[in-house]
């Protein structure tokens, strides 16, 4: 038989965990379903320094754990499972998972986003053999080696700076001649003696048989081709929302983000979305947490109107 809840939250990052805290504190029976590590993307972030309340910053893993602990204290239940399908039935919203079926009056989608692949030859084959998407996880493997970072956003710069603690040199390769990252990140990167920059350059192939040996590069302005010897390639070329499993159920924009109104309500009554999966998200920990709170407050209002 289905296990029934007032609210089921799918995804255990800052958006889902904040939604869980608010829903549980409102005395709604609440289940959070997460297939991976609680905390979502921040679980791998070494140091979060722009979440208010932590003047010295806090490890992303610790922040995720603390958010979960706080919500659990008020009655949030959590299950480790992957959602395989969602069905709208007369009795409610049926959530099918690898650990069985659950029934909800309200759903809050908070499955976040994950790193884009660069999509060049060698990337898939050498993943875990020098290709990585996580400096905090894999940086120590590249002590005194030369590594490349691909991308020009906050992630590329932030993770590049983490790598300077291990690598002898970090070469940031960007397709334009200006970084997209915030000014603060840029200043830190330009001031770091171990960081070098290759502008107007794209990687066309990651070279190596059983481990990364280098990159084939092309200058997008001159067309000039070159190779660069590196032992590691860290890729940060943006994120895509984890909404593939919602295709056909909810309205998504061209990039796959869920379309919502200002109450985090989707076009289906009783289904809300929060965090990086929603359209126009600023993609910050604090905005994800704010979305989660808004979604739960809207859910509470929806449920009281149903009664
Ligand atoms: P992003 O801001 O979308 O930046 C992606 C970078 O990759 C851009 O510089 C982009 O180049 C480049 N790029 C995209 N596709 C490429 C391709 N095919 N080949 C080569 N380069 C490519 O992604 P992000 O850095 O992961 O950040 C995502 C969001 O999280 C942002 O809103 C960011 O502010 C936020 N974030 C915040 C923090 C923080 O506050 N501490 C830390 C990390 C991330 P162009 O610049 O030419 O488009």
């Amino acid at each position: 038989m289905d296990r029934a809840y007032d609210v089921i939250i799918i995804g255990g990052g800052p958006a889902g965990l904040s939604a869980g805290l608010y829903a549980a504190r409102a005395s709604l029976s609440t289940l959070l379903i997460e297939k991976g590590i609680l905390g979502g993307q921040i679980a791998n972030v070494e140091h979060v320094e722009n979440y208010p309340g932590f003047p010295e910053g806090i490890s992303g893993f610790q922040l995720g754990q603390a958010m979960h602990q706080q919500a659990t204290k008020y009655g949030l239940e959590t299950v480790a499972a992957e959602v395989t399908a969602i069905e709208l039935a007369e009795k409610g919203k049926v959530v099918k998972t690898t650990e069985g079926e659950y029934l909800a009056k309200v759903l809050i989608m908070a499955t976040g986003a994950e790193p884009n692949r660069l999509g060049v030859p060698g990337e898939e084959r050498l993943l875990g053999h020098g290709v990585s998407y996580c400096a905090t996880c894999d940086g120590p493997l590249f002590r005194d080696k030369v590594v490349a970072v691909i991308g020009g956003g906050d992630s590329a710069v932030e993770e590049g700076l983490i790598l300077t603690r291990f690598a002898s040199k970090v070469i940031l390769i960007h397709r334009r001649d200006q970084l997209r990252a915030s000014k603060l990140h840029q200043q830190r990167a330009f001031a770091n003696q171990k960081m070098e920059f290759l502008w107007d350059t794209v990687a066309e192939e990651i070279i190596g048989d059983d481990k990364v040996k280098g990159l084939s590069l092309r200058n997008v302005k001159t067309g000039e081709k070159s190779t660069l010897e590196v032992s590691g390639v860290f890729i940060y070329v943006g994120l895509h929302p984890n909404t593939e499993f919602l295709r056909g159920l909810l309205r998504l924009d061209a990039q796959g983000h869920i379309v919502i109104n200002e109450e985090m309500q989707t076009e289906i009554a009783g289904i809300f979305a929060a965090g990086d999966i929603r359209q126009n998200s600023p993609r910050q920990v604090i905005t994800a947490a704010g979305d989660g709170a808004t979604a739960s407050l809207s859910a509470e209002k929806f449920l009281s109107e149903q009664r």
Side-chain angles (χ1 to χ4, degrees), residues 18 28 37 75 80 89 91 106 110 152 161 197 200 214 221 223 255 266-267 286 294 298:
S18 300
L28 301 171
I37 303 172
K91 58 185 176 177
V106 162
L161 285 167
F197 300 85
D200 300 315
K221 285 197 173 146
Q255 288 79 41
T266 69
E267 90 267 40
I286 184 160
T294 306
S298 302

Side-chain angles (χ1 to χ4, degrees), residues 41 45 47-50 114-120 150-159 172-182 185 188 201-203 235-239 276 281-285:
Q41 285 177 72
V45 173
H47 198 63
V48 177
E49 53 181 32
N50 53 4
E114 63 180 87
N116 287 336
R117 297 291 195 246
L118 184 59
V120 297
I150 298 176
D154 282 323
S155 299
V157 172
E158 201 168 87
E159 304 279 305
L172 189 143
I173 300 167
H174 185 33
R175 64 183 177 183
R176 291 189 292 133
D177 60 2
Q178 263 184 1
L179 294 174
R180 178 178 291 278
S182 70
H185 277 122
R188 287 178 181 170
T201 303
V202 290
I235 299 169
Y236 300 102
V237 290
L239 308 167
D276 281 11
S281 165
R283 296 183 295 187
Q284 303 292 309
V285 185

Side-chain angles (χ1 to χ4, degrees), residues 142-157:
F142 297 90
R143 206 169 282 280
D144 301 325
K145 305 231 163 89
V146 178
V147 298
V149 168
I150 298 176
D154 282 323
S155 299
V157 172

